[in-house]
PDB file of all heavy atoms in Angstrom:
ATOM      1  N   ALA A   2      19.453 -44.669   4.112  1.00 82.00           N
ATOM      2  CA  ALA A   2      20.667 -44.130   4.712  1.00 82.00           C
ATOM      3  C   ALA A   2      21.730 -45.206   4.768  1.00 82.00           C
ATOM      4  O   ALA A   2      21.451 -46.380   5.027  1.00 82.00           O
ATOM      5  CB  ALA A   2      20.347 -43.619   6.117  1.00 82.00           C
ATOM      6  N   GLY A   3      22.962 -44.787   4.538  1.00 93.00           N
ATOM      7  CA  GLY A   3      24.082 -45.703   4.612  1.00 93.00           C
ATOM      8  C   GLY A   3      24.695 -45.672   5.989  1.00 93.00           C
ATOM      9  O   GLY A   3      24.118 -45.164   6.953  1.00 93.00           O
ATOM     10  N   VAL A   4      25.914 -46.191   6.079  1.00 95.00           N
ATOM     11  CA  VAL A   4      26.660 -46.154   7.327  1.00 95.00           C
ATOM     12  C   VAL A   4      27.228 -44.750   7.507  1.00 95.00           C
ATOM     13  O   VAL A   4      27.816 -44.195   6.572  1.00 95.00           O
ATOM     14  CB  VAL A   4      27.800 -47.190   7.298  1.00 95.00           C
ATOM     15  CG1 VAL A   4      28.608 -47.119   8.580  1.00 95.00           C
ATOM     16  CG2 VAL A   4      27.239 -48.593   7.081  1.00 95.00           C
ATOM     17  N   SER A   5      27.034 -44.196   8.683  1.00 96.00           N
ATOM     18  CA  SER A   5      27.604 -42.878   8.941  1.00 96.00           C
ATOM     19  C   SER A   5      28.606 -42.968  10.087  1.00 96.00           C
ATOM     20  O   SER A   5      28.473 -43.820  10.982  1.00 96.00           O
ATOM     21  CB  SER A   5      26.509 -41.860   9.258  1.00 96.00           C
ATOM     22  OG  SER A   5      25.790 -42.236  10.406  1.00 96.00           O
ATOM     23  N   GLN A   6      29.594 -42.084  10.023  1.00 97.00           N
ATOM     24  CA  GLN A   6      30.625 -42.035  11.052  1.00 97.00           C
ATOM     25  C   GLN A   6      30.870 -40.595  11.457  1.00 97.00           C
ATOM     26  O   GLN A   6      30.785 -39.687  10.633  1.00 97.00           O
ATOM     27  CB  GLN A   6      31.939 -42.644  10.532  1.00 97.00           C
ATOM     28  CG  GLN A   6      31.863 -44.135  10.263  1.00 97.00           C
ATOM     29  CD  GLN A   6      33.205 -44.720   9.875  1.00 97.00           C
ATOM     30  OE1 GLN A   6      33.394 -45.182   8.752  1.00 97.00           O
ATOM     31  NE2 GLN A   6      34.151 -44.697  10.812  1.00 97.00           N
ATOM     32  N   SER A   7      31.180 -40.420  12.728  1.00 97.00           N
ATOM     33  CA  SER A   7      31.502 -39.077  13.205  1.00 97.00           C
ATOM     34  C   SER A   7      32.563 -39.146  14.291  1.00 97.00           C
ATOM     35  O   SER A   7      32.650 -40.141  15.022  1.00 97.00           O
ATOM     36  CB  SER A   7      30.235 -38.389  13.748  1.00 97.00           C
ATOM     37  OG  SER A   7      29.698 -39.131  14.832  1.00 97.00           O
ATOM     38  N   PRO A   8      33.414 -38.111  14.375  1.00 97.00           N
ATOM     39  CA  PRO A   8      33.518 -37.028  13.402  1.00 97.00           C
ATOM     40  C   PRO A   8      34.189 -37.497  12.111  1.00 97.00           C
ATOM     41  O   PRO A   8      34.721 -38.599  12.067  1.00 97.00           O
ATOM     42  CB  PRO A   8      34.404 -36.020  14.146  1.00 97.00           C
ATOM     43  CG  PRO A   8      35.300 -36.879  14.985  1.00 97.00           C
ATOM     44  CD  PRO A   8      34.448 -38.034  15.427  1.00 97.00           C
ATOM     45  N   SER A   9      34.174 -36.668  11.102  1.00 96.00           N
ATOM     46  CA  SER A   9      34.863 -37.040   9.865  1.00 96.00           C
ATOM     47  C   SER A   9      36.369 -36.853  10.014  1.00 96.00           C
ATOM     48  O   SER A   9      37.157 -37.591   9.415  1.00 96.00           O
ATOM     49  CB  SER A   9      34.340 -36.227   8.687  1.00 96.00           C
ATOM     50  OG  SER A   9      34.438 -34.847   8.953  1.00 96.00           O
ATOM     51  N   ASN A  10      36.747 -35.865  10.809  1.00 97.00           N
ATOM     52  CA  ASN A  10      38.160 -35.617  11.101  1.00 97.00           C
ATOM     53  C   ASN A  10      38.319 -35.331  12.583  1.00 97.00           C
ATOM     54  O   ASN A  10      37.472 -34.679  13.187  1.00 97.00           O
ATOM     55  CB  ASN A  10      38.684 -34.409  10.309  1.00 97.00           C
ATOM     56  CG  ASN A  10      38.962 -34.743   8.862  1.00 97.00           C
ATOM     57  OD1 ASN A  10      39.961 -35.355   8.538  1.00 97.00           O
ATOM     58  ND2 ASN A  10      38.051 -34.342   7.995  1.00 97.00           N
ATOM     59  N   LYS A  11      39.412 -35.834  13.144  1.00 98.00           N
ATOM     60  CA  LYS A  11      39.692 -35.585  14.553  1.00 98.00           C
ATOM     61  C   LYS A  11      41.190 -35.392  14.723  1.00 98.00           C
ATOM     62  O   LYS A  11      41.984 -36.244  14.331  1.00 98.00           O
ATOM     63  CB  LYS A  11      39.221 -36.760  15.405  1.00 98.00           C
ATOM     64  CG  LYS A  11      39.545 -36.657  16.883  1.00 98.00           C
ATOM     65  CD  LYS A  11      38.714 -35.613  17.570  1.00 98.00           C
ATOM     66  CE  LYS A  11      38.972 -35.606  19.073  1.00 98.00           C
ATOM     67  NZ  LYS A  11      38.172 -34.539  19.751  1.00 98.00           N
ATOM     68  N   VAL A  12      41.548 -34.240  15.286  1.00 98.00           N
ATOM     69  CA  VAL A  12      42.942 -33.976  15.619  1.00 98.00           C
ATOM     70  C   VAL A  12      43.041 -33.945  17.129  1.00 98.00           C
ATOM     71  O   VAL A  12      42.278 -33.242  17.795  1.00 98.00           O
ATOM     72  CB  VAL A  12      43.432 -32.647  15.016  1.00 98.00           C
ATOM     73  CG1 VAL A  12      44.895 -32.410  15.389  1.00 98.00           C
ATOM     74  CG2 VAL A  12      43.257 -32.637  13.501  1.00 98.00           C
ATOM     75  N   THR A  13      43.961 -34.716  17.669  1.00 98.00           N
ATOM     76  CA  THR A  13      44.102 -34.773  19.117  1.00 98.00           C
ATOM     77  C   THR A  13      45.567 -34.770  19.500  1.00 98.00           C
ATOM     78  O   THR A  13      46.446 -35.089  18.679  1.00 98.00           O
ATOM     79  CB  THR A  13      43.410 -36.039  19.669  1.00 98.00           C
ATOM     80  OG1 THR A  13      43.362 -35.975  21.092  1.00 98.00           O
ATOM     81  CG2 THR A  13      44.170 -37.301  19.273  1.00 98.00           C
ATOM     82  N   GLU A  14      45.823 -34.408  20.731  1.00 97.00           N
ATOM     83  CA  GLU A  14      47.194 -34.406  21.228  1.00 97.00           C
ATOM     84  C   GLU A  14      47.556 -35.776  21.778  1.00 97.00           C
ATOM     85  O   GLU A  14      46.708 -36.471  22.364  1.00 97.00           O
ATOM     86  CB  GLU A  14      47.351 -33.354  22.321  1.00 97.00           C
ATOM     87  CG  GLU A  14      47.211 -31.928  21.825  1.00 97.00           C
ATOM     88  CD  GLU A  14      47.375 -30.924  22.956  1.00 97.00           C
ATOM     89  OE1 GLU A  14      47.432 -31.359  24.128  1.00 97.00           O
ATOM     90  OE2 GLU A  14      47.437 -29.721  22.667  1.00 97.00           O
ATOM     91  N   LYS A  15      48.796 -36.122  21.626  1.00 97.00           N
ATOM     92  CA  LYS A  15      49.297 -37.377  22.170  1.00 97.00           C
ATOM     93  C   LYS A  15      48.949 -37.490  23.646  1.00 97.00           C
ATOM     94  O   LYS A  15      49.100 -36.528  24.410  1.00 97.00           O
ATOM     95  CB  LYS A  15      50.810 -37.438  21.975  1.00 97.00           C
ATOM     96  CG  LYS A  15      51.475 -38.669  22.540  1.00 97.00           C
ATOM     97  CD  LYS A  15      52.980 -38.603  22.328  1.00 97.00           C
ATOM     98  CE  LYS A  15      53.677 -39.738  23.033  1.00 97.00           C
ATOM     99  NZ  LYS A  15      55.159 -39.675  22.857  1.00 97.00           N
ATOM    100  N   GLY A  16      48.425 -38.660  24.017  1.00 98.00           N
ATOM    101  CA  GLY A  16      48.073 -38.901  25.409  1.00 98.00           C
ATOM    102  C   GLY A  16      46.608 -38.681  25.733  1.00 98.00           C
ATOM    103  O   GLY A  16      46.129 -39.143  26.780  1.00 98.00           O
ATOM    104  N   LYS A  17      45.895 -37.998  24.845  1.00 98.00           N
ATOM    105  CA  LYS A  17      44.469 -37.784  25.079  1.00 98.00           C
ATOM    106  C   LYS A  17      43.658 -39.004  24.628  1.00 98.00           C
ATOM    107  O   LYS A  17      44.111 -39.812  23.813  1.00 98.00           O
ATOM    108  CB  LYS A  17      43.993 -36.555  24.298  1.00 98.00           C
ATOM    109  CG  LYS A  17      44.612 -35.238  24.761  1.00 98.00           C
ATOM    110  CD  LYS A  17      44.025 -34.782  26.065  1.00 98.00           C
ATOM    111  CE  LYS A  17      44.597 -33.455  26.533  1.00 98.00           C
ATOM    112  NZ  LYS A  17      44.231 -32.343  25.634  1.00 98.00           N
ATOM    113  N   ASP A  18      42.439 -39.115  25.161  1.00 98.00           N
ATOM    114  CA  ASP A  18      41.516 -40.173  24.744  1.00 98.00           C
ATOM    115  C   ASP A  18      40.613 -39.649  23.635  1.00 98.00           C
ATOM    116  O   ASP A  18      40.260 -38.467  23.623  1.00 98.00           O
ATOM    117  CB  ASP A  18      40.647 -40.626  25.912  1.00 98.00           C
ATOM    118  CG  ASP A  18      41.433 -41.229  27.064  1.00 98.00           C
ATOM    119  OD1 ASP A  18      42.659 -41.453  26.903  1.00 98.00           O
ATOM    120  OD2 ASP A  18      40.825 -41.469  28.120  1.00 98.00           O
ATOM    121  N   VAL A  19      40.212 -40.545  22.714  1.00 98.00           N
ATOM    122  CA  VAL A  19      39.281 -40.155  21.656  1.00 98.00           C
ATOM    123  C   VAL A  19      38.178 -41.208  21.535  1.00 98.00           C
ATOM    124  O   VAL A  19      38.393 -42.390  21.832  1.00 98.00           O
ATOM    125  CB  VAL A  19      39.960 -39.975  20.281  1.00 98.00           C
ATOM    126  CG1 VAL A  19      40.945 -38.830  20.320  1.00 98.00           C
ATOM    127  CG2 VAL A  19      40.623 -41.260  19.823  1.00 98.00           C
ATOM    128  N   GLU A  20      37.010 -40.746  21.090  1.00 98.00           N
ATOM    129  CA  GLU A  20      35.887 -41.635  20.814  1.00 98.00           C
ATOM    130  C   GLU A  20      35.423 -41.415  19.385  1.00 98.00           C
ATOM    131  O   GLU A  20      35.182 -40.277  18.969  1.00 98.00           O
ATOM    132  CB  GLU A  20      34.721 -41.363  21.774  1.00 98.00           C
ATOM    133  CG  GLU A  20      34.966 -41.845  23.180  1.00 98.00           C
ATOM    134  CD  GLU A  20      33.712 -41.761  24.037  1.00 98.00           C
ATOM    135  OE1 GLU A  20      32.724 -41.132  23.593  1.00 98.00           O
ATOM    136  OE2 GLU A  20      33.718 -42.302  25.147  1.00 98.00           O
ATOM    137  N   LEU A  21      35.293 -42.493  18.663  1.00 98.00           N
ATOM    138  CA  LEU A  21      34.822 -42.451  17.288  1.00 98.00           C
ATOM    139  C   LEU A  21      33.493 -43.191  17.225  1.00 98.00           C
ATOM    140  O   LEU A  21      33.344 -44.275  17.801  1.00 98.00           O
ATOM    141  CB  LEU A  21      35.843 -43.119  16.354  1.00 98.00           C
ATOM    142  CG  LEU A  21      37.308 -42.690  16.520  1.00 98.00           C
ATOM    143  CD1 LEU A  21      38.185 -43.432  15.519  1.00 98.00           C
ATOM    144  CD2 LEU A  21      37.467 -41.200  16.377  1.00 98.00           C
ATOM    145  N   ARG A  22      32.557 -42.612  16.472  1.00 98.00           N
ATOM    146  CA  ARG A  22      31.200 -43.160  16.468  1.00 98.00           C
ATOM    147  C   ARG A  22      30.837 -43.727  15.108  1.00 98.00           C
ATOM    148  O   ARG A  22      31.241 -43.195  14.068  1.00 98.00           O
ATOM    149  CB  ARG A  22      30.202 -42.068  16.846  1.00 98.00           C
ATOM    150  CG  ARG A  22      28.734 -42.480  16.808  1.00 98.00           C
ATOM    151  CD  ARG A  22      27.819 -41.287  17.038  1.00 98.00           C
ATOM    152  NE  ARG A  22      26.436 -41.616  16.748  1.00 98.00           N
ATOM    153  CZ  ARG A  22      25.520 -41.791  17.689  1.00 98.00           C
ATOM    154  NH1 ARG A  22      25.824 -41.681  18.980  1.00 98.00           N
ATOM    155  NH2 ARG A  22      24.258 -42.085  17.355  1.00 98.00           N
ATOM    156  N   CYS A  23      30.055 -44.796  15.140  1.00 98.00           N
ATOM    157  CA  CYS A  23      29.564 -45.424  13.911  1.00 98.00           C
ATOM    158  C   CYS A  23      28.074 -45.709  14.047  1.00 98.00           C
ATOM    159  O   CYS A  23      27.641 -46.355  15.008  1.00 98.00           O
ATOM    160  CB  CYS A  23      30.307 -46.731  13.637  1.00 98.00           C
ATOM    161  SG  CYS A  23      29.632 -47.693  12.252  1.00 98.00           S
ATOM    162  N   ASP A  24      27.305 -45.236  13.068  1.00 97.00           N
ATOM    163  CA  ASP A  24      25.879 -45.551  12.983  1.00 97.00           C
ATOM    164  C   ASP A  24      25.673 -46.501  11.798  1.00 97.00           C
ATOM    165  O   ASP A  24      25.786 -46.068  10.650  1.00 97.00           O
ATOM    166  CB  ASP A  24      25.052 -44.291  12.771  1.00 97.00           C
ATOM    167  CG  ASP A  24      24.896 -43.480  14.028  1.00 97.00           C
ATOM    168  OD1 ASP A  24      25.807 -42.671  14.309  1.00 97.00           O
ATOM    169  OD2 ASP A  24      23.890 -43.666  14.718  1.00 97.00           O
ATOM    170  N   PRO A  25      25.380 -47.749  12.065  1.00 96.00           N
ATOM    171  CA  PRO A  25      25.263 -48.706  10.965  1.00 96.00           C
ATOM    172  C   PRO A  25      23.919 -48.574  10.249  1.00 96.00           C
ATOM    173  O   PRO A  25      23.041 -47.823  10.685  1.00 96.00           O
ATOM    174  CB  PRO A  25      25.352 -50.051  11.694  1.00 96.00           C
ATOM    175  CG  PRO A  25      24.735 -49.774  13.031  1.00 96.00           C
ATOM    176  CD  PRO A  25      25.150 -48.363  13.370  1.00 96.00           C
ATOM    177  N   ILE A  26      23.777 -49.310   9.188  1.00 95.00           N
ATOM    178  CA  ILE A  26      22.503 -49.371   8.478  1.00 95.00           C
ATOM    179  C   ILE A  26      21.497 -50.092   9.371  1.00 95.00           C
ATOM    180  O   ILE A  26      21.816 -51.141   9.958  1.00 95.00           O
ATOM    181  CB  ILE A  26      22.661 -50.082   7.133  1.00 95.00           C
ATOM    182  CG1 ILE A  26      23.555 -49.234   6.215  1.00 95.00           C
ATOM    183  CG2 ILE A  26      21.317 -50.360   6.485  1.00 95.00           C
ATOM    184  CD1 ILE A  26      23.935 -49.902   4.910  1.00 95.00           C
ATOM    185  N   SER A  27      20.319 -49.522   9.460  1.00 92.00           N
ATOM    186  CA  SER A  27      19.285 -50.093  10.320  1.00 92.00           C
ATOM    187  C   SER A  27      18.998 -51.549   9.937  1.00 92.00           C
ATOM    188  O   SER A  27      18.797 -51.865   8.759  1.00 92.00           O
ATOM    189  CB  SER A  27      18.002 -49.268  10.200  1.00 92.00           C
ATOM    190  OG  SER A  27      16.974 -49.839  10.980  1.00 92.00           O
ATOM    191  N   GLY A  28      18.998 -52.418  10.943  1.00 90.00           N
ATOM    192  CA  GLY A  28      18.709 -53.825  10.704  1.00 90.00           C
ATOM    193  C   GLY A  28      19.921 -54.691  10.464  1.00 90.00           C
ATOM    194  O   GLY A  28      19.815 -55.930  10.479  1.00 90.00           O
ATOM    195  N   HIS A  29      21.069 -54.072  10.221  1.00 92.00           N
ATOM    196  CA  HIS A  29      22.288 -54.863  10.016  1.00 92.00           C
ATOM    197  C   HIS A  29      22.769 -55.401  11.360  1.00 92.00           C
ATOM    198  O   HIS A  29      22.954 -54.658  12.317  1.00 92.00           O
ATOM    199  CB  HIS A  29      23.378 -54.017   9.374  1.00 92.00           C
ATOM    200  CG  HIS A  29      23.208 -53.880   7.896  1.00 92.00           C
ATOM    201  ND1 HIS A  29      24.216 -53.386   7.076  1.00 92.00           N
ATOM    202  CD2 HIS A  29      22.162 -54.165   7.083  1.00 92.00           C
ATOM    203  CE1 HIS A  29      23.783 -53.389   5.831  1.00 92.00           C
ATOM    204  NE2 HIS A  29      22.539 -53.847   5.808  1.00 92.00           N
ATOM    205  N   THR A  30      22.971 -56.710  11.394  1.00 91.00           N
ATOM    206  CA  THR A  30      23.323 -57.349  12.657  1.00 91.00           C
ATOM    207  C   THR A  30      24.826 -57.351  12.924  1.00 91.00           C
ATOM    208  O   THR A  30      25.257 -57.462  14.052  1.00 91.00           O
ATOM    209  CB  THR A  30      22.823 -58.800  12.664  1.00 91.00           C
ATOM    210  OG1 THR A  30      23.372 -59.491  11.523  1.00 91.00           O
ATOM    211  CG2 THR A  30      21.298 -58.855  12.593  1.00 91.00           C
ATOM    212  N   ALA A  31      25.617 -57.235  11.883  1.00 93.00           N
ATOM    213  CA  ALA A  31      27.074 -57.275  12.051  1.00 93.00           C
ATOM    214  C   ALA A  31      27.665 -55.889  11.889  1.00 93.00           C
ATOM    215  O   ALA A  31      27.209 -55.089  11.070  1.00 93.00           O
ATOM    216  CB  ALA A  31      27.702 -58.230  11.036  1.00 93.00           C
ATOM    217  N   LEU A  32      28.687 -55.616  12.687  1.00 95.00           N
ATOM    218  CA  LEU A  32      29.372 -54.325  12.617  1.00 95.00           C
ATOM    219  C   LEU A  32      30.859 -54.565  12.808  1.00 95.00           C
ATOM    220  O   LEU A  32      31.268 -55.350  13.656  1.00 95.00           O
ATOM    221  CB  LEU A  32      28.844 -53.372  13.693  1.00 95.00           C
ATOM    222  CG  LEU A  32      29.344 -51.925  13.647  1.00 95.00           C
ATOM    223  CD1 LEU A  32      28.247 -50.976  14.125  1.00 95.00           C
ATOM    224  CD2 LEU A  32      30.612 -51.730  14.434  1.00 95.00           C
ATOM    225  N   TYR A  33      31.656 -53.886  11.986  1.00 96.00           N
ATOM    226  CA  TYR A  33      33.112 -54.050  11.970  1.00 96.00           C
ATOM    227  C   TYR A  33      33.792 -52.696  12.120  1.00 96.00           C
ATOM    228  O   TYR A  33      33.311 -51.692  11.597  1.00 96.00           O
ATOM    229  CB  TYR A  33      33.582 -54.622  10.631  1.00 96.00           C
ATOM    230  CG  TYR A  33      32.940 -55.908  10.192  1.00 96.00           C
ATOM    231  CD1 TYR A  33      31.664 -55.914   9.640  1.00 96.00           C
ATOM    232  CD2 TYR A  33      33.626 -57.117  10.284  1.00 96.00           C
ATOM    233  CE1 TYR A  33      31.076 -57.097   9.213  1.00 96.00           C
ATOM    234  CE2 TYR A  33      33.051 -58.305   9.848  1.00 96.00           C
ATOM    235  CZ  TYR A  33      31.772 -58.282   9.319  1.00 96.00           C
ATOM    236  OH  TYR A  33      31.201 -59.448   8.886  1.00 96.00           O
ATOM    237  N   TRP A  34      34.948 -52.725  12.763  1.00 97.00           N
ATOM    238  CA  TRP A  34      35.860 -51.594  12.744  1.00 97.00           C
ATOM    239  C   TRP A  34      37.170 -52.034  12.098  1.00 97.00           C
ATOM    240  O   TRP A  34      37.698 -53.108  12.407  1.00 97.00           O
ATOM    241  CB  TRP A  34      36.155 -51.091  14.155  1.00 97.00           C
ATOM    242  CG  TRP A  34      35.067 -50.283  14.781  1.00 97.00           C
ATOM    243  CD1 TRP A  34      34.127 -50.699  15.663  1.00 97.00           C
ATOM    244  CD2 TRP A  34      34.837 -48.882  14.594  1.00 97.00           C
ATOM    245  NE1 TRP A  34      33.313 -49.659  16.034  1.00 97.00           N
ATOM    246  CE2 TRP A  34      33.725 -48.532  15.389  1.00 97.00           C
ATOM    247  CE3 TRP A  34      35.464 -47.886  13.838  1.00 97.00           C
ATOM    248  CZ2 TRP A  34      33.224 -47.225  15.455  1.00 97.00           C
ATOM    249  CZ3 TRP A  34      34.964 -46.597  13.898  1.00 97.00           C
ATOM    250  CH2 TRP A  34      33.860 -46.275  14.698  1.00 97.00           C
ATOM    251  N   TYR A  35      37.670 -51.172  11.191  1.00 96.00           N
ATOM    252  CA  TYR A  35      38.953 -51.385  10.537  1.00 96.00           C
ATOM    253  C   TYR A  35      39.796 -50.127  10.688  1.00 96.00           C
ATOM    254  O   TYR A  35      39.281 -49.027  10.845  1.00 96.00           O
ATOM    255  CB  TYR A  35      38.781 -51.640   9.031  1.00 96.00           C
ATOM    256  CG  TYR A  35      38.118 -52.947   8.659  1.00 96.00           C
ATOM    257  CD1 TYR A  35      36.733 -53.027   8.524  1.00 96.00           C
ATOM    258  CD2 TYR A  35      38.867 -54.084   8.395  1.00 96.00           C
ATOM    259  CE1 TYR A  35      36.121 -54.217   8.153  1.00 96.00           C
ATOM    260  CE2 TYR A  35      38.269 -55.279   8.019  1.00 96.00           C
ATOM    261  CZ  TYR A  35      36.886 -55.332   7.897  1.00 96.00           C
ATOM    262  OH  TYR A  35      36.285 -56.506   7.525  1.00 96.00           O
ATOM    263  N   ARG A  36      41.090 -50.315  10.573  1.00 96.00           N
ATOM    264  CA  ARG A  36      42.009 -49.189  10.558  1.00 96.00           C
ATOM    265  C   ARG A  36      42.766 -49.214   9.231  1.00 96.00           C
ATOM    266  O   ARG A  36      43.226 -50.274   8.788  1.00 96.00           O
ATOM    267  CB  ARG A  36      42.996 -49.276  11.734  1.00 96.00           C
ATOM    268  CG  ARG A  36      44.004 -48.158  11.772  1.00 96.00           C
ATOM    269  CD  ARG A  36      44.736 -48.123  13.095  1.00 96.00           C
ATOM    270  NE  ARG A  36      45.630 -49.260  13.295  1.00 96.00           N
ATOM    271  CZ  ARG A  36      46.422 -49.391  14.359  1.00 96.00           C
ATOM    272  NH1 ARG A  36      46.418 -48.463  15.300  1.00 96.00           N
ATOM    273  NH2 ARG A  36      47.208 -50.438  14.474  1.00 96.00           N
TER     274      ARG A  36
END
Side-chain angles (χ1 to χ4, degrees):
Chain A
V4 178
S5 61
Q6 293 185 246
S7 61
S9 55
N10 283 283
K11 176 71 175 178
V12 180
T13 189
E14 293 180 352
K15 178 182 173 181
K17 295 286 181 66
D18 298 351
V19 296
E20 287 189 349
L21 312 180
R22 177 187 169 106
C23 173
D24 284 85
I26 294 173
S27 178
H29 280 193
T30 56
L32 187 147
Y33 305 78
W34 284 99
Y35 292 90
R36 179 167 69 176

